[in-house]
Amino acid sequence: MESVEPFLGPLAEVAADFTAITGVRIDLPTVLFLRARLAGRDLPVRTSAGGSCHLLPTSDGWAAVNLARSDDLTAVPALLAILGAAGQTVQALREAARRVTAAEVAEGAQMLGMAAAGLRSAFDEPVPVRSERFGGLRARDLTGLRVIDLSALWAGPLCARLLGLAGARVTKVESTTRPDGARSGQPAFYRWLHDGHESVMVDFGSGRLAEIVAEADVVIEASRPRALRRLGIHAERFLAERPGRVWVSITGYGREDDRVAFGDDAAVAGGLTGLDGNGGPVFLGDAIADPVTGVFAAHAAARSLARGGGELVAVSMAGCAATVARGAPC
């Protein structure tokens, strides 16, 4: 199986610049592989390390379908029907995928709200991070700044961890009705990811969330923009109200794209995969687009603060994966 090492060069450049800005060194092997090591997981082949994402051969290539949630598993018969087949198992899905294109598999799954992608479908994504200014300038380092982390799982919390190591005060905010799903995962990894952070549970319908966000210098989130707007939280207003603030928005494919994505399928979309002995694709590491995106996001936030902030920093998981994949030697 192809090693992840050829892909570390492009990511190492981003990590090195984060160190130059903040003084904090990023241990990439730990960042990328600690979760799998703590869980005792083997390197994945065509089923992800976590067991939920599946690389499926199609009539014209490969597609990844991530059945990460109970609703995804329930929707498998509907996806099979869209693909012109019947059944309710992953094996039935694997057989059906061989008769259709990768785009048909991905689009059918996405129609049902599943995370799915064709192999390298986002490989040509031009940039992993887009920044747009909405507020005034005020250059600051991270020491003592208030970071509010509204994200979950891995990419956003890793960004928050790295900013915290650089001196920021981090508060993780979760919904009382929908806490971070990572809490049910590897406990030691969750503790490592959130070490030293304050944790607050909030009823998002109470108005308290907007009050907490108003106190922040930096916000990290991984939500659809309209979902936060319904709660009275607007990134553009947040940035305009005080100079030097930064808003970090992490999504699968960009803020204007509603497709769901998780670390394994986003990596496949970006072409960040390995090869087996026959030249076919295999998953590379454990949900690798998550930690890759976390490093890119922390670096983008630190850079923005250093040049004065006032920016909405939009980070695409598939774009980050594609950037790393494109930079690896052939």
Side-chain angles (χ1 to χ4, degrees):
M1 183 185 299
E2 185 177 81
S3 167
V4 73
E5 291 177 4
F7 299 94
L8 293 183
L11 187 60
E13 293 178 9
V14 176
D17 197 47
F18 180 81
T19 302
I21 296 169
T22 66
V24 173
R25 188 179 73 87
I26 300 176
D27 181 353
L28 288 179
T30 296
V31 163
L32 294 174
F33 304 120
L34 178 62
R35 188 174 78 165
R37 189 162 66 243
L38 288 172
R41 292 171 175 167
D42 294 329
L43 288 175
V45 185
R46 293 208 172 102
T47 298
S48 65
S52 67
C53 195
H54 305 273
L55 261 171
L56 309 174
T58 68
S59 65
D60 65 345
W62 296 83
V65 176
N66 205 332
L67 307 175
R69 304 161 299 188
S70 58
D71 287 350
D72 299 327
L73 292 168
T74 302
V76 167
L79 175 56
L80 283 163
I82 290 172
L83 300 180
Q88 56 185 6
T89 65
V90 172
Q91 182 57 35
L93 181 57
R94 194 176 299 277
E95 293 169 2
R98 293 180 182 274
R99 298 191 291 270
V100 298
T101 67
E104 288 176 303
V105 173
E107 290 166 7
Q110 291 158 4
M111 189 184 307
L112 297 170
M114 296 177 179
L119 177 61
R120 292 169 61 98
S121 56
F123 185 75
D124 294 325
E125 174 68 25
V127 291
V129 179
R130 299 177 186 274
S131 299
E132 189 172 0
R133 189 173 302 284
F134 290 97
L137 296 172
R138 183 188 172 196
R140 293 178 291 177
D141 64 25
L142 277 152
T143 304
L145 294 189
R146 182 73 178 273
V147 174
I148 299 299
D149 178 18
L150 305 180
S151 67
L153 300 178
W154 194 350
L158 176 59
C159 173
R161 171 182 167 79
L162 294 174
L163 298 183
L165 291 175
R169 297 177 297 125
V170 179
T171 300
K172 179 178 180 63
V173 181
E174 299 171 79
S175 166
T176 52
T177 58
R178 192 178 179 182
D180 187 348
R183 286 185 177 277
S184 61
Q186 230 294 327
F189 179 74
Y190 187 88
R191 289 193 298 271
W192 174 83
L193 201 55
H194 299 284
D195 182 40
H197 298 177
E198 181 185 0
S199 181
V200 177
M201 304 291 286
V202 176
D203 176 358
F204 280 14
S206 68
R208 175 61 180 145
L209 182 61
E211 295 174 3
I212 293 173
V213 167
E215 300 170 356
D217 298 294
V218 178
V219 171
I220 303 166
E221 50 86 7
S223 302
R224 293 184 176 95
R226 66 172 180 270
L228 289 174
R229 289 172 188 147
R230 283 199 295 267
L231 296 172
I233 298 171
H234 300 256
E236 299 83 356
R237 289 182 194 167
F238 170 85
L239 295 168
E241 285 171 355
R242 189 192 308 159
R245 285 173 154 180
V246 172
W247 186 285
V248 180
S249 174
I250 298 173
T251 59
Y253 298 91
R255 281 173 66 83
E256 306 308 317
D257 193 318
D258 279 345
R259 283 179 290 173
V260 177
F262 297 109
D264 288 302
D265 51 276
V268 171
L272 191 52
T273 54
L275 296 174
D276 64 13
N278 298 315
V282 293
F283 288 107
L284 191 69
D286 176 16
I288 198 164
D290 271 315
V292 165
T293 299
V295 172
F296 269 86
H299 172 246
R303 282 188 60 191
S304 181
L305 287 165
R307 62 180 175 242
E311 292 180 314
L312 194 164
V313 177
V315 187
S316 160
M317 293 177 67
C320 292
T323 299
V324 172
R326 286 197 306 267
C330 297

